[in-house]
Amino acid sequence: MKKTSTRLADGRELIYYDLRDDTVRDAVDRRPLERTVTTSEIRRDVLLGDSVAIASHRQGRTYHPPADECPLCPSRGERLSEIPDSSYDVVVFENRFPSLAGDSGRCEVVCFTPDHDASFADLTEEQARLVLDAWTDRTSELSHLPSVEQVFCFENRGAEIGVTLGHPHGQIYAYPFTTPRTALMLRSLAAHKEATGGGNLFDAVLEQERAGERVVLESEHWLAFVPYAAHWPYELHLYPKRRVPDLLALDEAARTEFPQVYLELLRRFDRIFGEGEPPTPYIAAWHQAPFGTLEEFDGVVREDFALHLELFTIRRTSGKLKFLAGSESGMSVFINDVPPERAAQRLREVASS
């Protein structure tokens, strides 16, 4: 992998990740852009104990542009985009309309491929590995920023999810705090560790799931399963079998095998609802240990956390979506219409031939 860092016309950082070491990236952003001004602010909810990012400048972000005006395609001729070069393998750049900025963290966009009409599932294993390497590199770089406590790599796919740009891409949020969902996991880890005299809850979950009926795919280094208490109609959790706290700690064997496993899971997601159905909308989310102090979680250290990816869709059946209505949005109590055992069975049925 070759990494080349440059700057866009408004000062934002852009980084090319290339498969070939001899690739030259010297294209200049020719757009007449002024420096971006953001108004991101973190506000603490004292009743719930969580934080909210207030980012009013995002109201003006690009919204469903036609394909020939996509800002994530390469620049060609006089058609200028966020990527100055006429081609790329993988590229990462600072979001022009970030939810988090400055002392409030950082937001980046990850473009998986220059092919506007492709999806992550269309990538080759070599391309998918390059994305993994980019996620890992950005996790390392962002973790060293003084304002960053947790790095979150994710992909939103599909208009039903709320995606406003159809080009295959993901995002990276670098939060200045430990996210509420991660804090819940850490508290459960701490309680289990104390109750079992040092046991690890993630290890216990993997042991239980590996012996059950909800396993969807198992390889030498990875395990994918539908969790016992799945919140979403079709929800997969993918874990490396060797517990590590973050992407940086994955060994080469797991890195090498990841593209094959992950691409297979994504392709199964597109087959859940049968032939002729539109692409399955999904969210793919990497959960990594925070880089900040864990003092508030009694006895827990970073190495207790287990890196894993959660992949889920809001589509519950053909033509129908799972909405977060009163119980989910008002009380954070999910009601799942698809039994996890049935979801796992379906995801096994649609395996590639």
Side-chain angles (χ1 to χ4, degrees), residues 7-19:
R7 292 282 171 179
L8 296 174
D10 56 8
R12 289 175 293 132
E13 185 179 18
L14 180 143
I15 307 151
Y16 294 99
Y17 293 90
D18 287 295
L19 292 168

Side-chain angles (χ1 to χ4, degrees), residues 15-280:
I15 307 151
Y16 294 99
Y17 293 90
D18 287 295
L19 292 168
R20 292 174 55 97
D21 290 337
D22 59 354
T23 303
V24 176
R25 298 295 184 187
D26 55 8
V28 176
D29 185 3
R30 294 181 284 133
R31 297 173 297 169
L33 296 180
E34 296 182 358
R35 286 192 173 271
T36 56
V37 177
T38 62
T39 56
S40 179
E41 176 189 358
I42 301 297
R43 296 187 181 181
R44 182 78 171 170
D45 186 321
V46 296
L47 291 179
L48 296 180
D50 60 10
S51 298
V52 177
I54 309 296
S56 60
H57 62 277
R58 285 176 53 78
Q59 289 281 34
R61 66 189 184 273
T62 308
Y63 188 81
H64 293 299
D68 61 358
E69 296 179 15
C70 175
L72 306 185
C73 289
S75 292
R76 286 170 184 159
E78 295 307 309
R79 185 188 172 285
L80 306 179
S81 73
E82 289 279 70
I83 297 92
D85 215 325
S86 60
S87 67
Y88 63 85
D89 291 334
V90 172
V91 70
V92 177
F93 59 88
E94 289 184 76
N95 198 321
R96 192 177 180 187
F97 303 96
S99 302
L100 309 165
D103 293 339
S104 297
R106 176 158 156 152
C107 292
E108 298 182 340
V109 177
V110 184
C111 297
F112 304 138
T113 169
D115 186 350
H116 180 85
D117 298 316
S119 69
F120 201 116
D122 296 322
L123 301 183
T124 65
E125 291 184 17
E126 185 180 37
Q127 290 172 311
R129 169 61 191 264
L130 185 60
V131 176
L132 175 63
D133 290 341
W135 283 332
T136 304
D137 180 71
R138 297 315 302 152
T139 296
S140 175
E141 293 292 329
L142 293 171
S143 70
H144 289 97
L145 296 180
S147 63
V148 172
E149 189 165 312
Q150 186 172 4
V151 179
F152 176 46
C153 307
F154 65 100
E155 179 192 1
N156 297 327
R157 189 239 205 163
E160 301 94 328
I161 296 292
V163 174
T164 58
L165 296 176
H167 196 104
H169 72 287
Q171 299 181 66
I172 302 175
Y173 278 20
Y175 296 102
F177 51 79
T178 296
T179 61
R181 187 175 177 87
T182 302
L184 288 174
M185 294 185 203
L186 293 170
R187 292 188 187 102
S188 296
L189 267 176
H192 182 86
K193 193 171 187 177
E194 181 179 8
T196 59
N200 185 278
L201 182 57
F202 283 113
D203 292 351
V205 168
L206 256 63
E207 182 179 359
Q208 179 180 0
E209 292 290 1
R210 192 176 183 183
E213 58 181 314
R214 290 179 296 275
V215 171
V216 172
L217 188 155
E218 182 174 5
S219 65
E220 183 177 356
H221 301 286
W222 295 88
L223 180 71
F225 59 89
V226 178
Y228 171 74
H231 289 58
W232 299 94
Y234 290 90
E235 176 181 338
L236 269 174
H237 290 193
L238 176 63
Y239 280 76
K241 289 183 177 178
R242 183 179 70 88
R243 173 165 45 89
V244 294
D246 53 39
L247 289 166
L248 304 174
L250 278 177
D251 61 25
E252 183 57 32
R255 291 180 184 281
T256 299
E257 196 178 63
F258 171 78
Q260 177 185 356
V261 173
Y262 187 48
L263 290 172
E264 170 63 20
L265 293 176
L266 291 179
R267 290 160 186 167
R268 292 191 194 190
F269 253 57
D270 273 343
R271 291 193 290 268
I272 295 173
F273 302 105
E275 296 293 330
E277 287 291 319
T280 301

